[in-house]
Amino acid sequence: TVSERKLSGADMIKSARNNTCHPHVIFTTFMCPSPACTPLRQRIESNTRQVWSSMDRVEFKDVMTSSVNTNLYGMPYIGDMFTHMMDACPDARTYTYINGDIIGTH
């Protein structure tokens, strides 16, 4: 499950080593908290986090953009995000990136 607070990259790796991750890891980045985070954006991200975290067949993780390389516009490189998650959850069988405002269903 995902914590309501975002973990740093080092904290995620430390946590993953202490707790085994689910075999199927889904991850994303969120805008909030940031200066560009509106109340609507907060609601969208909260709903997304709640839906994905409630799924019992996957482990949902947030990737802090500060823990991966980004381009000059602040967009994280997808390869770095996958590498980060593979380091955080080395025993997972699958890793899936989702757009942060996509709502999944069971």
Side-chain angles (χ1 to χ4, degrees), residues 61-95:
K61 299 280 192 184
D62 294 351
V63 176
M64 297 283 294
T65 55
S66 61
S67 65
V68 295
N69 290 320
T70 60
N71 66 18
L72 82 122
Y73 302 104
M75 297 300 297
Y77 290 114
I78 190 80
D80 278 8
M81 289 191 294
F82 273 95
T83 299
H84 181 77
M85 290 301 358
M86 288 175 189
D87 288 344
C89 298
D91 296 329
R93 292 185 312 186
T94 64
Y95 305 88

Side-chain angles (χ1 to χ4, degrees), residues 2 8 18 28-29 39 42 47-48 71 78 91 94 98 106:
V2 69
S8 72
N18 292 334
T28 193
T29 58
Q42 288 175 348
N47 289 345
T48 301
N71 66 18
I78 190 80
D91 296 329
T94 64
I98 62 158
H106 295 266

